[in-house]
Amino acid sequence: MASNSFGQLFRITTWGESHGPAMGVVIDGCPAGLKIEANDIDAALSFRAGGKNNYTTARKEPDSASILSGLFEGVTTGAPISILIPNRDVDSSAYEPIKDLLRPGHANYTFLEKYGLFDYRGGGRASARETVCRVAAGAVATKLLRGIGVKIVAYVKAIGEVAACIATENAEELKKERDTHPLFCPDHLAGSAMEAVVTEAKEQGDSVGGIVEFIVNGLPSGLGDPVYNKLEASLGAAMMGLPAAKGFEMGEGFRAAAMRGSEHNDRFVREEGTVKTATNHAGGTLGGISTGMPLVGRVAFKPASSIKKPQETVTHSGEETTLEFPSHSRHDPCVAIRAVPVVEAMVALVLVDAFLLNQCVRINQITPAHSLCGDAPLQETAPHSPHPSVSL
Amino acid sequence: MASNSFGQLFRITTWGESHGPAMGVVIDGCPAGLKIEANDIDAALSFRAGGKNNYTTARKEPDSASILSGLFEGVTTGAPISILIPNRDVDSSAYEPIKDLLRPGHANYTFLEKYGLFDYRGGGRASARETVCRVAAGAVATKLLRGIGVKIVAYVKAIGEVAACIATENAEELKKERDTHPLFCPDHLAGSAMEAVVTEAKEQGDSVGGIVEFIVNGLPSGLGDPVYNKLEASLGAAMMGLPAAKGFEMGEGFRAAAMRGSEHNDRFVREEGTVKTATNHAGGTLGGISTGMPLVGRVAFKPASSIKKPQETVTHSGEETTLEFPSHSRHDPCVAIRAVPVVEAMVALVLVDAFLLNQCVRINQITPAHSLCGDAPLQETAPHSPHPSVSL
Amino acid sequence: MASNSFGQLFRITTWGESHGPAMGVVIDGCPAGLKIEANDIDAALSFRAGGKNNYTTARKEPDSASILSGLFEGVTTGAPISILIPNRDVDSSAYEPIKDLLRPGHANYTFLEKYGLFDYRGGGRASARETVCRVAAGAVATKLLRGIGVKIVAYVKAIGEVAACIATENAEELKKERDTHPLFCPDHLAGSAMEAVVTEAKEQGDSVGGIVEFIVNGLPSGLGDPVYNKLEASLGAAMMGLPAAKGFEMGEGFRAAAMRGSEHNDRFVREEGTVKTATNHAGGTLGGISTGMPLVGRVAFKPASSIKKPQETVTHSGEETTLEFPSHSRHDPCVAIRAVPVVEAMVALVLVDAFLLNQCVRINQITPAHSLCGDAPLQETAPHSPHPSVSL
Amino acid sequence: MASNSFGQLFRITTWGESHGPAMGVVIDGCPAGLKIEANDIDAALSFRAGGKNNYTTARKEPDSASILSGLFEGVTTGAPISILIPNRDVDSSAYEPIKDLLRPGHANYTFLEKYGLFDYRGGGRASARETVCRVAAGAVATKLLRGIGVKIVAYVKAIGEVAACIATENAEELKKERDTHPLFCPDHLAGSAMEAVVTEAKEQGDSVGGIVEFIVNGLPSGLGDPVYNKLEASLGAAMMGLPAAKGFEMGEGFRAAAMRGSEHNDRFVREEGTVKTATNHAGGTLGGISTGMPLVGRVAFKPASSIKKPQETVTHSGEETTLEFPSHSRHDPCVAIRAVPVVEAMVALVLVDAFLLNQCVRINQITPAHSLCGDAPLQETAPHSPHPSVSL
């Protein structure tokens, strides 16, 4: 049911198959007055493309987005923003010989079970190529959030058995270190060990899993809803909806299960006129609502299912066979690396939606409508702004 | 936005504060023709109440549900099912002295930040008392699922540093062992060690965290949607929306991050005319859609924030003070134990919704409408059933 | 799919059958800080009950609502508001003899077709008794709207061939005249003729249709969304979802089909510093968005299907028979009269939802979050209010 | 909130401005296995383009749709279907001189009030050009409905004071007569009078309103939901959401207000083993659910607001001025004519959604999942079909 949409007030709908003509996303509910430049999106796509390392299978040509609607003179109008990203570097030949095989760990089996047919070329809709749309939409969300002081960073926290040691919750510092490492790991020492792990897996025609962590600074308190739409629940849906995701945790996460309450509870303190907590075991939420402390979460990714090593399997009709990809087929040895920009994008999409939803939860916060002539028709206190477009 | 509702086709809406007159849930979208008895729900509430052990703070009187609508002669009619559960054993006096304090690890701070006011009595809407509604609704979902052969079990997997060793994915066996252990742990050896941990925490006026695991047998393949509404994403939202939940994982979960693809991929085999996988590292889904193998997931719960130990904090206005609960206040030393029936209920709610959503995804599956007189007006092949109510 | 819910941000869910123990509604998304008194709702229910005239079948005892959740010290908390209205005056005996008959013009046939069974007592979920929940929820919406200066009035515009002549768009004046007429018609001359029509229909064991008009004053401009969620589309869904509604129109409505553009277009003028239109043929919206002029709409109601006159029909199994209600059965000769408070309630529900949705459509309108200590953490301009509850 | 989307299970999202590069629609939730050819959509677009008469302002080049996703080998896969329609014949020069004027009867005023800015070129998002997306999506819905025997026709019922006399509810006959008349009116005698009305309005630089009627044959009973999602409510939202729509009615509609119950109630009869009604005053629904009789409804359209005649108005800043379109600007003298294919499309979208939603409302109707190997894992009665794609 609208399973290709995400979000409530700031809502995206994505479409496109890996080896079809293009991928696309429609953003509905972006407030009017936000300046967007084509480069805002292309920069995010370029970050997703993964750069010039040997660890990810970048398509040959960089992705470039066309904004087909929703902007007028460079500013959002409140109309849906349609973004289209062509699929330039498509080669379906690797998939032809294996089209009748069930691919171990892959969704082609379950798509067949559900729909009775499957677009096998490049994985069709099940391909991680779909995440290019999330990243494009995330770039718009990020632009809006930046204007209210929210900073998001994601990075590789672990690959295989190697975990990074992260000693700060400062998003900018982490981003700086991350951006100078080929595996997006801000702890360069651990990062070198990770490189060895990925290289080994690749040489063996295998893949390896990993963990991506995100940290958000500057998030206002009060975002998220009690009960079913807790902020961590929305983040959980977003992260567990990523290709290859197998786990999600906030703050101490699974470690909290082994802690005592007296140890895990974050003490409230007053600092510079604001309430804060002395520690941040909670990871930035209490009871589903943001505290104003850094938001901290982690996503576990399984090793990619597509590997060069031959694998025993069966065909659609149940006959035993061996799956062996052609030698020229391209696979990521570690999808967690590629997931970094996608995690950032999904965090941004969750937060911008929570932010908009938080605009009408108190009687004393809601305001009467706008007036073209600058006079509020109903109350003297209407927050009229004469400048319709505001640069964030 | 409808933040007190959960589900799409089978949709629940809950209401009620811990120390208000009653809790309630409205179930919308339950198919007509399902036999429901009051005891179906009361038995689930009794399981939630936790029994006669020393480890949970059962209210003195058992909960009992009134079904106020949606049934006719014991059978669902397709109309909304309203269930009301009175709050019989309410004592707000323990909350009066601490009403101006920020409770460490508790949502009273964030509710105040969001709404500007907080119903402090018993935690109001932030209380785990709300889960009684999830369990009541889950009982209806479970009844429906049982009719199509789906069996769900949840149990305590870990408390503190002690983890159970679970050697089977058979839900019935696990349920049998679980039901004979006071902490709902099917591994009785580990369970004894857990008892010691909980007892110690309780004696120290402290609390301890834990992990709940669930396993589902008999789930059809094809449930869940690709992209944003993956089955694991819906489960992630459901589980991360539970009080005190800090982490969620499916199958190998976070362990998958340290695995190789050749190790994690589950090999497809043909067994008794059906495709299965030889192993189940994936935990029952591929690409967001159920495989037909057992569904396996885990939820990490933090230690309860409410503890008897004195804690430093500040008041609403920022003055330093100490939070000390009155000696007669009641707190759970380990909320993970109480979470077991709630996890089962939320799994049932996710699955019944996914099941209904899966009824219209293929052209050759959808059928023309029903006809009172038993004649399909449009096509010869209409699957008319002469018996409107079917006992599952 | 959530077919018993209405609204998006301010969302109601109703439950209950006419002859069950109670009716109820859960309001989710009402902003925190709104003062609600029990009498706000009971007064609306009393208006719905229709008073002491001979033209409507008031149940013997007045309805009285219990608010079971969502208030703390008389103020909304942001939690769901559960309202329960007992069914005190239930007598199902009139329905027993006709339970196997298809009632002409009634939904018992289509419920049977859809669900395979029907709660025939009092019409079950198909009864207009359900509207008591709409009126209760509408009272809360109306309270909120009144605080921002919005005034809604509905009244009987026509019964049978008799139409009222309404020469003003002033809601308060209309309300005053309406409230002194037994048929809720502000044109008392026409009202007298309507009385004769209703009396005649009643004496003949028949029923008669009618038209209800609503007018809203003080509505801000900018409410409603372009394209699919136009304000008139939301109103259309609300009004066509009323029992017995067969038509809905805005402004000139069907008369507009016979007009010229030069005649229908409302000329813009500047008046007291605000843009207005010289006429209001449009009825208060342009392109789906409110103009700030009075909102004007009309709903056509068919004559009630339940009449005392014998009617030929068939049984469930298709045998010819005659439907004759017992002499003590109670039927409204004109449901349009009873619909007046329900139309008002639904208009209020549509408008409050549109109002909340309009809080986050411009970048320069959205604000960072609240802060308990009164300091906006992110921007100097945060609209903090020290008083969490504001009396509207 | 997702205000550019329509539908629940079969859900469309549209985007694009009249004078932007393209219009587009994403269809989410179309069942897998439906054969779609490019011509299915282009034929519908061609019908919308209005042909070679003098009464509508066809763009010079015909519209042609590109299907960018969701099909594999000509069959739907269950993935979102993205359709793009280029805007080939764009000339914004007519809008430049009037960009600072409030256009009487037009949405540019309310868009400015809501969003603070307006894409004035061609009306931007407020243009009826958006309906090209509805028609494209409607073509897919229509294909599906045709497979289950549902036939929809819409036609011009009235223009100005001239009304057609329609003596049949047979959709095919009506379609045949409609398609041979330049104004889409099946009553050719009335149609000639309508031609005179439109010609006169055009010559005077004016516009005229009209009424479009739709009739559906072969609709199964049981579609639509009680209470808030009545079939007539969904149709009401769909029709009142059309550009220039001012009224909607079902069956007798507003005429029902002047009728007696004994006259309006449709008598149930048994005919050829099926229950029918002897008359169809209700227009095909009772209590919000389809009866199986022809569905009949009507939409009133106001005269187009854009006319050549000079009109007094004010500028954005409130100064008095005169609006005069350049002589080369193109306007429809009667938008009701152009609305005919759009009404058909929206009816199809409402019905296909109601049809899918009706697949899971009875326990004895729902079925376990599919199995790739043809064996139902859970029940012997699983309705497996060996042929995944079925030509409707």
Side-chain angles (χ1 to χ4, degrees), chain B residues 1-4 9 11 14-15 17 28 68-70 72 77 80 82 113 115-116 118 120-121 370-372 388, chain C residues 1-4 9 11 14-15 17 28 68-70 72 77 80 82 113 115-116 118-121 370-372 388:
Chain B
M1 214 189 63
S3 91
N4 294 282
L9 288 179
R11 184 171 175 87
T14 67
W15 56 268
E17 287 84 27
D28 200 2
L68 298 179
S69 69
F72 183 54
T77 62
S82 175
E113 286 287 289
Y115 297 114
F118 181 65
Y120 57 82
R121 302 162 307 167
H370 332 292
S371 172
L372 186 59
Chain C
M1 214 191 62
S3 90
N4 294 282
L9 288 179
R11 184 170 176 87
T14 66
W15 56 268
E17 287 85 26
D28 200 2
L68 299 179
S69 68
F72 182 55
T77 62
S82 175
E113 285 288 287
Y115 298 115
F118 181 64
D119 180 352
Y120 57 83
R121 301 162 306 169
H370 331 292
S371 172
L372 186 60

Side-chain angles (χ1 to χ4, degrees), chain A residues 34-56:
Chain A
L34 183 69
K35 275 194 185 163
I36 300 284
E37 289 158 53
N39 192 49
D40 291 328
I41 295 166
D42 283 349
L45 297 184
S46 167
F47 173 32
R48 177 183 175 276
K52 275 82 190 164
N53 63 59
N54 292 314
Y55 308 108
T56 55

Side-chain angles (χ1 to χ4, degrees), chain A residues 137-382:
Chain A
V140 176
T142 300
K143 190 85 189 271
L144 197 162
L145 290 169
R146 217 177 286 150
I148 52 165
V150 179
K151 283 166 195 155
I152 304 169
V153 67
Y155 45 83
V156 168
K157 167 75 181 175
I159 289 181
E161 305 276 1
V162 183
C165 177
I166 306 296
T168 177
E169 289 187 342
N170 185 305
E172 281 190 15
E173 282 177 30
L174 286 164
K175 191 173 177 337
K176 209 170 135 192
E177 295 303 314
R178 176 199 71 184
D179 286 348
T180 54
H181 191 273
L183 297 189
F184 297 144
C185 179
D187 172 353
H188 293 194
L189 199 60
S192 298
M194 290 174 188
E195 289 189 74
V197 171
V198 176
T199 300
E200 192 192 57
K202 195 179 178 183
E203 284 170 2
Q204 294 171 352
D206 212 335
S207 61
V208 64
I211 295 173
V212 173
E213 187 169 81
F214 64 82
I215 285 182
V216 183
N217 289 175
L219 190 70
S221 63
L223 303 199
D225 285 310
V227 193
Y228 301 107
N229 290 0
K230 289 187 169 79
L231 192 58
E232 48 266 43
S234 301
L235 288 165
M239 298 305 150
M240 293 302 293
L242 291 174
K246 298 305 288 184
F248 171 66
E249 59 180 19
M250 290 285 294
E252 295 289 345
F254 275 85
R255 280 181 303 281
M259 291 171 80
R260 291 292 178 89
S262 56
E263 180 189 5
H264 187 274
N265 281 353
D266 298 307
R267 191 159 55 87
F268 285 108
V269 294
R270 189 178 172 93
E271 201 179 298
E272 294 166 27
T274 302
V275 167
K276 296 196 169 173
T277 55
T279 50
N280 188 21
H281 297 297
T285 68
L286 285 174
I289 302 169
S290 65
T291 59
M293 294 295 291
L295 203 68
V296 185
R298 248 156 267 114
V299 195
F301 292 94
K302 69 174 186 179
S305 65
S306 298
I307 55 177
K308 292 235 168 169
K309 272 191 180 173
Q311 299 178 86
E312 290 174 48
T313 187
V314 297
T315 64
H316 291 187
S317 49
E319 288 153 43
E320 295 185 4
T321 183
T322 299
L323 168 64
E324 200 158 355
F325 280 96
S327 57
H328 67 286
S329 64
R330 302 169 302 184
H331 304 297
D332 263 320
C334 179
V335 287
I337 306 167
R338 292 295 288 272
V340 166
V342 189
V343 167
E344 275 190 12
M346 293 309 293
V347 170
L349 290 167
V350 168
L351 295 182
V352 82
D353 201 30
F355 185 77
L356 294 179
L357 284 166
N358 203 39
Q359 298 299 308
C360 44
V361 296
R362 284 187 188 191
I363 283 292
N364 59 3
Q365 167 195 28
I366 61 181
T367 62
H370 331 293
S371 172
L372 186 59
C373 288
D375 324 88
L378 297 174
Q379 296 195 352
E380 299 79 10
T381 56

